[in-house]
Amino acid sequence: MNETTISIEGVSLIEFFGAGNAKFNIIREAFPKLKLIPRGNNIKMIGKNDAIQQFTQKVDEIIDFLQLNGSITKNQLQDLLDGVLPASSQVNGNGDNILYGQKGRTIKARTPNQKKLVEAIEANDIVFAIGPAGTGKTYTAVAMAVKALKNNLVKKIVLTRPAVEAGESLGYLPGDLKDKIDPYLRPLYDALDDMIPSSKLNQYMANRVIEIAPLAYMRGRTIDKSFIILDEAQNATDLQLKMILTRIGPSSQCVITGDLTQIDLPRNHKSGLSKCLSILDNIKGIEVVRLGKEDVVRHRLVKRIIEAYEQSDNREIVLKKKDNA
């Protein structure tokens, strides 16, 4: 048996615990394997590690909801404990919500194609999200992974990227291997930072509940009961894509993101993403969601930049056809 304490901060204690601990008693009933002792704004937990971790995750969700909405009814509390988005959020037009991030921030699908991506992930074991930079491919996938972890649908999250050199050789970058590789994985860390408190994220990383590693490190493994995200898949070779897709265990799901217009592989290496999309077409349980410049949610100029590059590429194609005629 283990014993630890969690603090309830940033929300009304009366809203969290309820009058006469009425709401806390609902929470207590949902965790019969834990001994829970409330003292002021602290809750002492006595029990097994798995139960303590599940309880802590639910407390985070309740706090997130209270920070966003200010109050919570007993029915809404029960919905959260059951892993369901409380009804009031849907009534208020927030049915596209995925989860509540840092300081109660709402993480949601912001465009029709992002919503389509969320629905595809919920309905399929393998999903490809294809589109240009800034369309929310990676961010939405990470949000769905965190949601699955919080709802105990998976036991871990595995995030991976090809460590492809883009203008600067790994060997000449300063630091040890981790220092050299971390810049490639930084966008994944940034997304997680938005969704999980730093102390909890550090705990997850230390316990390997969340694992971030280069694609090459996935070889030879079977990854089960996990939510796997392969990011920047346009920089993976045919063999690498086949490798990661055949690592997936029976209780896992995988999201593969990529932008076919930004391939950073050396000239003698061919991206395997196009072939992968072609040969896996029409397989039940695999879905491809394509996002476009209309889904860009970064700075307003990003959409114009993408359009300008598309026009330039089209002009080059026309000129090449004329030269070859």
Coordinates of all heavy atoms in Angstrom, one line a residue, residues 181-268:
I181 N 18.8 15.0 -30.1 CA 17.5 14.5 -30.6 C 16.4 15.4 -30.2 O 15.4 15.6 -30.9 CB 17.3 13.0 -30.2 CG1 18.3 12.1 -30.9 CG2 15.9 12.6 -30.4 CD1 18.3 10.7 -30.4
D182 N 16.4 16.0 -29.0 CA 15.3 16.7 -28.4 C 14.7 17.8 -29.4 O 13.5 18.0 -29.4 CB 15.7 17.4 -27.1 CG 15.3 16.4 -25.9 OD1 14.8 15.3 -26.2 OD2 15.6 16.8 -24.8
P183 N 15.6 18.5 -30.1 CA 15.0 19.6 -31.0 C 14.0 19.0 -32.0 O 13.0 19.6 -32.4 CB 16.3 20.1 -31.8 CG 17.4 19.9 -30.8 CD 17.1 18.6 -30.1
Y184 N 14.2 17.7 -32.5 CA 13.3 17.1 -33.4 C 11.9 16.8 -32.8 O 10.9 16.7 -33.4 CB 13.9 15.8 -34.0 CG 15.1 16.0 -34.8 CD1 16.4 15.7 -34.3 CD2 15.0 16.5 -36.1 CE1 17.5 15.9 -35.1 CE2 16.1 16.7 -36.9 CZ 17.4 16.4 -36.4 OH 18.5 16.6 -37.1
L185 N 12.0 16.6 -31.4 CA 10.8 16.2 -30.7 C 10.1 17.3 -30.0 O 9.1 17.2 -29.4 CB 11.2 15.1 -29.7 CG 11.9 13.9 -30.2 CD1 12.4 13.0 -29.1 CD2 11.1 13.2 -31.3
R186 N 10.7 18.5 -30.1 CA 10.2 19.7 -29.3 C 8.7 20.0 -29.6 O 7.9 20.3 -28.7 CB 11.0 20.9 -29.6 CG 10.6 22.2 -29.0 CD 10.2 22.1 -27.6 NE 11.3 21.6 -26.7 CZ 11.1 21.2 -25.5 NH1 9.9 21.4 -24.9 NH2 12.1 20.7 -24.8
P187 N 8.2 19.9 -30.8 CA 6.8 20.2 -31.1 C 5.8 19.3 -30.3 O 4.7 19.7 -29.9 CB 6.6 20.0 -32.6 CG 7.9 20.2 -33.1 CD 8.9 19.7 -32.1
L188 N 6.3 18.0 -30.0 CA 5.5 17.1 -29.2 C 5.5 17.5 -27.7 O 4.4 17.5 -27.1 CB 6.0 15.7 -29.4 CG 6.0 15.1 -30.8 CD1 6.8 13.8 -30.9 CD2 4.6 15.0 -31.3
Y189 N 6.6 18.0 -27.2 CA 6.7 18.5 -25.9 C 5.8 19.7 -25.7 O 5.1 19.9 -24.7 CB 8.2 18.9 -25.5 CG 9.1 17.7 -25.3 CD1 10.1 17.4 -26.2 CD2 9.1 16.9 -24.1 CE1 11.0 16.4 -26.0 CE2 9.9 15.9 -23.9 CZ 10.9 15.6 -24.8 OH 11.8 14.6 -24.6
D190 N 5.8 20.6 -26.7 CA 5.1 21.8 -26.6 C 3.6 21.5 -26.6 O 2.8 22.2 -25.8 CB 5.4 22.7 -27.9 CG 6.8 23.3 -27.9 OD1 7.4 23.3 -26.8 OD2 7.2 23.8 -28.9
A191 N 3.1 20.6 -27.3 CA 1.7 20.2 -27.3 C 1.3 19.6 -25.9 O 0.3 20.0 -25.4 CB 1.4 19.2 -28.4
L192 N 2.2 18.8 -25.4 CA 1.9 18.2 -24.1 C 1.9 19.3 -23.0 O 1.1 19.2 -22.0 CB 2.9 17.1 -23.7 CG 2.8 15.8 -24.6 CD1 4.1 15.0 -24.3 CD2 1.6 15.0 -24.2
D193 N 2.8 20.2 -23.1 CA 2.8 21.3 -22.1 C 1.5 22.1 -22.0 O 1.2 22.6 -20.9 CB 4.0 22.3 -22.4 CG 5.3 21.8 -22.1 OD1 5.4 20.8 -21.3 OD2 6.3 22.3 -22.7
D194 N 0.8 22.2 -23.1 CA -0.5 22.9 -23.1 C -1.6 22.1 -22.4 O -2.6 22.6 -22.0 CB -1.0 23.1 -24.6 CG -0.4 24.4 -25.1 OD1 0.3 25.1 -24.4 OD2 -0.7 24.7 -26.3
M195 N -1.4 20.8 -22.3 CA -2.5 19.9 -21.9 C -2.3 19.2 -20.5 O -3.3 18.8 -19.9 CB -2.7 18.8 -22.9 CG -3.0 19.3 -24.3 SD -3.0 18.0 -25.6 CE -2.8 19.0 -27.1
I196 N -1.1 19.2 -20.0 CA -0.8 18.5 -18.8 C 0.0 19.4 -17.9 O 1.0 19.9 -18.3 CB -0.1 17.1 -19.0 CG1 -0.9 16.2 -20.0 CG2 0.2 16.4 -17.7 CD1 -0.2 15.0 -20.4
P197 N -0.3 19.5 -16.6 CA 0.5 20.3 -15.7 C 1.9 19.8 -15.7 O 2.2 18.6 -15.8 CB -0.2 20.1 -14.3 CG -1.6 19.7 -14.6 CD -1.6 19.0 -15.9
S198 N 2.9 20.7 -15.5 CA 4.3 20.3 -15.7 C 4.7 19.2 -14.7 O 5.5 18.3 -15.1 CB 5.2 21.5 -15.6 OG 5.0 22.2 -14.3
S199 N 4.2 19.3 -13.4 CA 4.6 18.3 -12.5 C 4.1 16.9 -12.8 O 4.8 15.9 -12.7 CB 4.1 18.7 -11.1 OG 2.7 18.8 -11.1
K200 N 2.9 16.9 -13.3 CA 2.3 15.6 -13.7 C 3.0 15.1 -15.0 O 3.2 13.9 -15.1 CB 0.8 15.8 -14.0 CG 0.0 14.6 -14.5 CD 0.1 13.5 -13.4 CE -0.7 13.8 -12.2 NZ -2.1 14.0 -12.5
L201 N 3.3 16.0 -15.9 CA 4.0 15.6 -17.2 C 5.3 15.0 -16.8 O 5.7 14.0 -17.4 CB 4.1 16.8 -18.1 CG 4.8 16.5 -19.5 CD1 4.1 15.4 -20.2 CD2 4.9 17.8 -20.3
N202 N 6.1 15.6 -15.9 CA 7.4 15.1 -15.5 C 7.3 13.7 -14.9 O 8.1 12.8 -15.1 CB 8.1 16.1 -14.5 CG 8.5 17.4 -15.2 OD1 8.7 17.4 -16.4 ND2 8.6 18.4 -14.4
Q203 N 6.2 13.5 -14.1 CA 5.9 12.2 -13.5 C 5.6 11.2 -14.6 O 6.2 10.1 -14.5 CB 4.8 12.4 -12.5 CG 4.4 11.1 -11.8 CD 3.1 11.2 -11.0 OE1 2.8 12.3 -10.6 NE2 2.5 10.1 -10.7
Y204 N 4.8 11.6 -15.5 CA 4.5 10.6 -16.6 C 5.7 10.2 -17.4 O 5.9 9.1 -17.8 CB 3.5 11.3 -17.6 CG 2.0 11.3 -17.1 CD1 1.1 12.2 -17.6 CD2 1.6 10.3 -16.2 CE1 -0.2 12.2 -17.2 CE2 0.3 10.3 -15.7 CZ -0.6 11.2 -16.2 OH -1.9 11.2 -15.8
M205 N 6.6 11.2 -17.7 CA 7.8 11.0 -18.4 C 8.7 10.1 -17.6 O 9.3 9.1 -18.2 CB 8.5 12.3 -18.8 CG 7.6 13.2 -19.6 SD 7.5 12.8 -21.3 CE 9.1 13.4 -21.9
A206 N 8.9 10.3 -16.4 CA 9.8 9.6 -15.5 C 9.3 8.1 -15.4 O 10.1 7.2 -15.4 CB 9.9 10.2 -14.1
N207 N 8.0 7.9 -15.3 CA 7.4 6.6 -15.2 C 7.2 5.9 -16.6 O 6.6 4.8 -16.6 CB 6.1 6.6 -14.4 CG 6.3 7.1 -13.0 OD1 7.4 6.9 -12.4 ND2 5.3 7.6 -12.4
R208 N 7.5 6.6 -17.7 CA 7.4 6.1 -19.0 C 5.9 5.9 -19.4 O 5.6 5.0 -20.2 CB 8.2 4.8 -19.3 CG 9.7 5.1 -19.1 CD 10.5 3.8 -19.3 NE 10.5 3.5 -20.7 CZ 11.3 4.0 -21.6 NH1 12.1 5.0 -21.3 NH2 11.3 3.6 -22.9
V209 N 5.0 6.6 -18.7 CA 3.6 6.6 -19.1 C 3.4 7.3 -20.4 O 2.6 7.0 -21.2 CB 2.7 7.2 -18.0 CG1 1.2 7.3 -18.5 CG2 2.8 6.3 -16.7
I210 N 4.3 8.4 -20.5 CA 4.4 9.1 -21.8 C 5.8 8.9 -22.2 O 6.8 9.3 -21.5 CB 4.1 10.6 -21.7 CG1 2.6 10.8 -21.3 CG2 4.4 11.3 -23.0 CD1 2.1 12.2 -21.1
E211 N 6.0 8.4 -23.4 CA 7.3 8.1 -24.0 C 7.5 8.9 -25.3 O 6.7 8.8 -26.2 CB 7.5 6.6 -24.2 CG 8.9 6.2 -24.8 CD 9.0 4.7 -25.0 OE1 8.0 4.0 -24.6 OE2 9.9 4.3 -25.7
I212 N 8.6 9.6 -25.4 CA 8.9 10.4 -26.6 C 10.2 9.9 -27.1 O 11.2 10.0 -26.4 CB 8.8 11.9 -26.4 CG1 7.5 12.4 -25.8 CG2 9.1 12.7 -27.7 CD1 7.4 13.8 -25.5
A213 N 10.3 9.4 -28.3 CA 11.5 8.9 -28.8 C 11.6 8.9 -30.3 O 10.6 9.0 -31.0 CB 11.7 7.4 -28.4
P214 N 12.8 8.9 -30.9 CA 13.0 8.9 -32.4 C 12.4 7.6 -32.9 O 12.4 6.6 -32.2 CB 14.5 9.0 -32.6 CG 15.0 9.5 -31.3 CD 14.1 9.0 -30.2
L215 N 12.0 7.6 -34.2 CA 11.4 6.5 -34.8 C 12.3 5.2 -34.8 O 11.8 4.1 -34.6 CB 11.0 6.8 -36.2 CG 10.3 5.7 -37.1 CD1 9.1 5.2 -36.4 CD2 10.0 6.3 -38.5
A216 N 13.6 5.5 -34.9 CA 14.6 4.4 -35.0 C 14.5 3.5 -33.7 O 14.9 2.3 -33.7 CB 16.0 4.9 -35.2
Y217 N 14.1 4.1 -32.6 CA 14.1 3.4 -31.3 C 12.9 2.5 -31.2 O 12.8 1.7 -30.2 CB 14.0 4.4 -30.1 CG 15.3 5.2 -29.9 CD1 16.2 5.4 -30.9 CD2 15.6 5.7 -28.6 CE1 17.4 6.1 -30.6 CE2 16.7 6.4 -28.3 CZ 17.6 6.6 -29.3 OH 18.8 7.3 -29.1
M218 N 12.0 2.5 -32.1 CA 10.8 1.7 -32.1 C 11.0 0.3 -32.6 O 10.2 -0.6 -32.4 CB 9.6 2.3 -32.9 CG 9.2 3.7 -32.4 SD 8.5 3.6 -30.7 CE 9.8 4.5 -29.8
R219 N 12.2 0.1 -33.3 CA 12.4 -1.2 -34.0 C 12.5 -2.3 -32.9 O 13.1 -2.2 -31.9 CB 13.7 -1.1 -34.7 CG 14.0 -2.3 -35.7 CD 15.2 -2.1 -36.5 NE 15.1 -0.9 -37.4 CZ 14.4 -0.9 -38.5 NH1 13.9 -2.0 -38.9 NH2 14.3 0.2 -39.2
G220 N 11.9 -3.5 -33.3 CA 11.9 -4.6 -32.4 C 11.0 -4.7 -31.3 O 10.9 -5.7 -30.5
R221 N 10.1 -3.7 -31.1 CA 9.2 -3.6 -30.0 C 7.8 -4.0 -30.5 O 7.4 -3.9 -31.6 CB 9.1 -2.2 -29.4 CG 10.4 -1.7 -28.9 CD 10.3 -0.3 -28.4 NE 9.3 -0.1 -27.4 CZ 8.9 1.1 -26.9 NH1 9.6 2.2 -27.3 NH2 8.0 1.2 -26.0
T222 N 7.0 -4.4 -29.5 CA 5.5 -4.6 -29.7 C 4.9 -3.6 -28.7 O 5.1 -3.7 -27.5 CB 5.0 -6.0 -29.4 OG1 5.7 -6.9 -30.4 CG2 3.5 -6.1 -29.6
I223 N 4.1 -2.6 -29.2 CA 3.6 -1.6 -28.4 C 2.1 -1.8 -28.2 O 1.3 -1.6 -29.0 CB 3.9 -0.2 -29.0 CG1 5.3 -0.1 -29.4 CG2 3.5 0.9 -28.0 CD1 5.6 1.1 -30.2
D224 N 1.8 -2.3 -27.0 CA 0.4 -2.7 -26.7 C -0.2 -1.7 -25.6 O 0.5 -1.1 -24.9 CB 0.3 -4.1 -26.2 CG -1.1 -4.7 -26.2 OD1 -2.0 -4.1 -27.0 OD2 -1.4 -5.7 -25.6
K225 N -1.6 -1.6 -25.6 CA -2.3 -0.8 -24.7 C -1.8 0.7 -24.7 O -1.7 1.3 -23.7 CB -2.3 -1.4 -23.3 CG -2.9 -2.8 -23.2 CD -2.8 -3.3 -21.8 CE -3.4 -4.7 -21.7 NZ -3.2 -5.4 -20.4
S226 N -1.5 1.1 -25.9 CA -0.9 2.5 -26.1 C -1.6 3.3 -27.2 O -2.2 2.7 -28.1 CB 0.6 2.3 -26.4 OG 1.3 1.6 -25.4
F227 N -1.4 4.6 -27.1 CA -1.8 5.5 -28.1 C -0.5 6.0 -28.8 O 0.3 6.6 -28.1 CB -2.6 6.7 -27.6 CG -3.4 7.5 -28.6 CD1 -4.7 7.5 -28.6 CD2 -2.7 8.2 -29.6 CE1 -5.4 8.2 -29.5 CE2 -3.4 8.9 -30.5 CZ -4.8 8.9 -30.5
I228 N -0.3 5.6 -30.0 CA 0.9 5.8 -30.7 C 0.7 6.9 -31.7 O -0.2 6.9 -32.5 CB 1.4 4.5 -31.5 CG1 1.5 3.4 -30.5 CG2 2.8 4.8 -32.1 CD1 1.5 2.0 -31.2
I229 N 1.6 7.9 -31.7 CA 1.6 9.0 -32.8 C 2.9 9.0 -33.5 O 4.0 9.2 -32.8 CB 1.3 10.3 -32.1 CG1 -0.1 10.4 -31.5 CG2 1.4 11.4 -33.2 CD1 -0.4 11.7 -30.7
L230 N 2.9 8.8 -34.8 CA 4.1 9.0 -35.6 C 3.9 10.4 -36.3 O 3.0 10.5 -37.1 CB 4.3 7.9 -36.6 CG 5.3 8.2 -37.7 CD1 6.7 8.4 -37.1 CD2 5.4 7.0 -38.7
D231 N 4.7 11.3 -35.9 CA 4.6 12.7 -36.5 C 5.7 12.9 -37.6 O 6.7 12.2 -37.6 CB 4.9 13.7 -35.3 CG 4.5 15.1 -35.7 OD1 3.5 15.2 -36.4 OD2 5.1 16.0 -35.2
E232 N 5.4 13.8 -38.5 CA 6.3 14.1 -39.6 C 6.6 12.8 -40.4 O 7.8 12.6 -40.8 CB 7.6 14.7 -39.1 CG 7.4 16.0 -38.4 CD 7.0 17.2 -39.3 OE1 7.1 17.0 -40.5 OE2 6.7 18.3 -38.8
A233 N 5.6 12.0 -40.7 CA 5.8 10.7 -41.4 C 6.3 10.9 -42.8 O 6.8 9.9 -43.4 CB 4.5 9.9 -41.4
Q234 N 6.2 12.1 -43.4 CA 6.7 12.3 -44.7 C 8.3 12.1 -44.7 O 8.9 11.9 -45.8 CB 6.4 13.6 -45.3 CG 7.2 14.8 -44.7 CD 6.6 15.3 -43.4 OE1 5.7 14.8 -42.9 NE2 7.2 16.4 -42.9
N235 N 8.9 12.1 -43.6 CA 10.3 11.9 -43.5 C 10.7 10.5 -43.0 O 11.8 10.3 -42.7 CB 10.9 12.9 -42.5 CG 10.9 14.4 -43.0 OD1 11.0 14.6 -44.2 ND2 10.7 15.3 -42.1
A236 N 9.7 9.6 -43.1 CA 10.0 8.2 -42.9 C 10.1 7.4 -44.2 O 9.4 7.7 -45.1 CB 8.9 7.6 -42.0
T237 N 11.0 6.5 -44.2 CA 11.1 5.7 -45.4 C 10.0 4.6 -45.5 O 9.3 4.4 -44.5 CB 12.5 5.0 -45.5 OG1 12.6 4.1 -44.4 CG2 13.6 6.0 -45.4
D238 N 10.0 3.9 -46.6 CA 9.0 2.8 -46.7 C 9.2 1.8 -45.6 O 8.2 1.4 -45.0 CB 9.2 2.2 -48.1 CG 8.1 1.2 -48.4 OD1 7.0 1.3 -47.9 OD2 8.4 0.3 -49.2
L239 N 10.4 1.4 -45.4 CA 10.7 0.4 -44.4 C 10.4 0.8 -43.0 O 9.9 0.1 -42.1 CB 12.2 -0.1 -44.5 CG 12.5 -0.9 -45.7 CD1 14.0 -1.2 -45.7 CD2 11.7 -2.2 -45.7
Q240 N 10.6 2.1 -42.7 CA 10.3 2.7 -41.4 C 8.8 2.7 -41.1 O 8.4 2.4 -40.0 CB 10.9 4.1 -41.2 CG 12.4 4.1 -41.1 CD 13.0 5.5 -41.0 OE1 12.5 6.4 -41.7 NE2 14.0 5.7 -40.3
L241 N 8.0 3.1 -42.1 CA 6.6 3.1 -41.9 C 6.0 1.7 -41.7 O 5.2 1.5 -40.9 CB 5.9 3.8 -43.2 CG 5.9 5.3 -43.1 CD1 5.6 5.9 -44.5 CD2 4.8 5.7 -42.1
K242 N 6.6 0.7 -42.5 CA 6.1 -0.6 -42.3 C 6.5 -1.1 -40.9 O 5.7 -1.8 -40.3 CB 6.8 -1.5 -43.4 CG 6.4 -3.0 -43.3 CD 7.1 -3.8 -44.4 CE 6.7 -5.3 -44.2 NZ 7.4 -6.1 -45.2
M243 N 7.7 -0.7 -40.5 CA 8.1 -1.1 -39.1 C 7.2 -0.6 -38.0 O 6.8 -1.4 -37.2 CB 9.6 -0.6 -38.9 CG 10.2 -0.9 -37.5 SD 9.8 0.3 -36.3 CE 10.9 1.7 -36.9
I244 N 6.9 0.7 -38.0 CA 6.0 1.2 -37.0 C 4.6 0.6 -37.0 O 4.0 0.4 -36.0 CB 6.0 2.8 -37.0 CG1 5.4 3.3 -35.7 CG2 5.3 3.3 -38.2 CD1 6.1 3.0 -34.4
L245 N 4.1 0.4 -38.2 CA 2.7 -0.1 -38.4 C 2.6 -1.5 -37.9 O 1.6 -2.0 -37.4 CB 2.3 0.0 -39.8 CG 1.9 1.5 -40.3 CD1 1.7 1.5 -41.8 CD2 0.7 2.0 -39.6
T246 N 3.7 -2.3 -38.0 CA 3.7 -3.6 -37.5 C 4.2 -3.8 -36.1 O 4.3 -4.9 -35.6 CB 4.6 -4.5 -38.4 OG1 6.0 -3.9 -38.5 CG2 4.1 -4.6 -39.8
R247 N 4.4 -2.6 -35.4 CA 4.7 -2.7 -34.0 C 3.5 -2.6 -33.1 O 3.5 -2.7 -31.9 CB 5.6 -1.5 -33.6 CG 7.0 -1.4 -34.2 CD 7.9 -2.5 -34.0 NE 7.8 -3.5 -35.1 CZ 8.1 -4.8 -35.0 NH1 8.5 -5.3 -33.9 NH2 7.9 -5.6 -36.0
I248 N 2.3 -2.3 -33.7 CA 1.1 -1.9 -33.0 C 0.5 -3.2 -32.4 O 0.2 -4.2 -33.1 CB 0.1 -1.3 -33.9 CG1 0.7 0.0 -34.5 CG2 -1.2 -0.9 -33.1 CD1 -0.2 0.6 -35.6
G249 N 0.3 -3.2 -31.0 CA -0.3 -4.3 -30.3 C -1.8 -4.3 -30.5 O -2.4 -3.4 -31.0
P250 N -2.4 -5.4 -30.1 CA -3.9 -5.6 -30.3 C -4.7 -4.6 -29.6 O -5.9 -4.4 -30.0 CB -4.1 -7.0 -29.8 CG -3.0 -7.4 -28.9 CD -1.8 -6.6 -29.4
S251 N -4.2 -4.0 -28.5 CA -5.1 -3.0 -27.7 C -4.6 -1.6 -27.9 O -4.8 -0.8 -27.0 CB -5.1 -3.4 -26.3 OG -5.6 -4.7 -26.1
S252 N -3.9 -1.3 -29.0 CA -3.3 0.0 -29.3 C -4.0 0.6 -30.5 O -4.7 0.0 -31.3 CB -1.8 -0.1 -29.5 OG -1.1 -0.4 -28.4
Q253 N -3.9 2.0 -30.6 CA -4.2 2.7 -31.8 C -3.1 3.6 -32.2 O -2.3 4.0 -31.4 CB -5.6 3.4 -31.6 CG -5.6 4.6 -30.7 CD -6.9 5.2 -30.6 OE1 -7.5 5.3 -29.5 NE2 -7.5 5.6 -31.7
C254 N -3.1 4.0 -33.5 CA -2.0 4.8 -34.0 C -2.5 5.9 -34.9 O -3.4 5.7 -35.7 CB -1.1 3.9 -34.8 SG 0.4 4.7 -35.5
V255 N -1.9 7.1 -34.7 CA -2.2 8.2 -35.6 C -0.9 8.6 -36.3 O 0.1 8.8 -35.6 CB -2.8 9.4 -34.9 CG1 -3.0 10.6 -35.8 CG2 -4.1 9.1 -34.2
I256 N -0.9 8.7 -37.6 CA 0.3 9.0 -38.4 C 0.0 10.4 -39.1 O -0.9 10.5 -39.8 CB 0.6 7.9 -39.4 CG1 0.9 6.6 -38.7 CG2 1.7 8.3 -40.3 CD1 1.1 5.4 -39.6
T257 N 0.8 11.4 -38.8 CA 0.7 12.7 -39.4 C 1.8 12.9 -40.4 O 2.9 12.5 -40.2 CB 0.7 13.8 -38.3 OG1 2.0 14.0 -37.8 CG2 -0.3 13.4 -37.2
G258 N 1.5 13.7 -41.4 CA 2.5 14.0 -42.4 C 2.1 15.2 -43.3 O 0.9 15.5 -43.5
D259 N 3.1 15.8 -43.9 CA 2.9 16.9 -44.9 C 3.8 16.5 -46.1 O 5.0 16.7 -46.1 CB 3.3 18.2 -44.3 CG 3.3 19.4 -45.3 OD1 2.8 19.1 -46.4 OD2 3.7 20.5 -44.9
L260 N 3.1 16.1 -47.2 CA 3.9 15.6 -48.4 C 4.6 16.7 -49.1 O 5.3 16.5 -50.0 CB 2.9 14.9 -49.3 CG 2.4 13.5 -48.8 CD1 1.3 13.0 -49.6 CD2 3.6 12.5 -48.8
T261 N 4.3 18.0 -48.7 CA 5.0 19.1 -49.4 C 6.3 19.5 -48.6 O 7.0 20.4 -49.1 CB 4.1 20.3 -49.5 OG1 3.8 20.8 -48.1 CG2 2.7 20.0 -50.1
Q262 N 6.6 18.9 -47.5 CA 7.8 19.3 -46.7 C 8.6 18.0 -46.4 O 8.7 17.6 -45.2 CB 7.3 20.0 -45.4 CG 6.8 21.4 -45.7 CD 6.6 22.2 -44.4 OE1 6.7 21.6 -43.3 NE2 6.4 23.4 -44.5
I263 N 9.2 17.4 -47.4 CA 10.0 16.2 -47.2 C 11.4 16.7 -47.1 O 12.0 17.3 -47.9 CB 9.8 15.2 -48.4 CG1 8.4 14.8 -48.5 CG2 10.8 14.1 -48.3 CD1 8.0 13.9 -49.7
D264 N 12.1 16.3 -45.9 CA 13.4 16.7 -45.6 C 14.5 15.6 -45.8 O 15.6 15.7 -45.4 CB 13.5 17.2 -44.2 CG 12.6 18.4 -44.0 OD1 12.7 19.3 -44.8 OD2 11.9 18.5 -42.9
L265 N 14.0 14.5 -46.4 CA 14.9 13.3 -46.6 C 16.0 13.7 -47.6 O 15.8 14.4 -48.5 CB 14.2 12.1 -47.0 CG 13.3 11.4 -46.0 CD1 12.3 10.4 -46.7 CD2 14.1 10.7 -45.0
P266 N 17.2 13.0 -47.4 CA 18.3 13.2 -48.5 C 17.8 12.7 -49.8 O 16.8 11.9 -49.9 CB 19.4 12.3 -47.9 CG 19.1 12.2 -46.5 CD 17.7 12.2 -46.3
R267 N 18.4 13.2 -50.9 CA 17.9 12.9 -52.2 C 17.9 11.4 -52.5 O 17.1 10.9 -53.3 CB 18.8 13.7 -53.3 CG 18.6 15.2 -53.2 CD 19.4 15.8 -54.3 NE 19.1 17.3 -54.4 CZ 19.7 18.1 -55.2 NH1 20.5 17.6 -56.1 NH2 19.4 19.4 -55.2
N268 N 18.8 10.7 -51.9 CA 18.9 9.2 -52.2 C 17.9 8.4 -51.3 O 17.9 7.2 -51.4 CB 20.3 8.7 -52.0 CG 20.8 8.9 -50.6 OD1 20.4 9.9 -49.9 ND2 21.8 8.1 -50.1

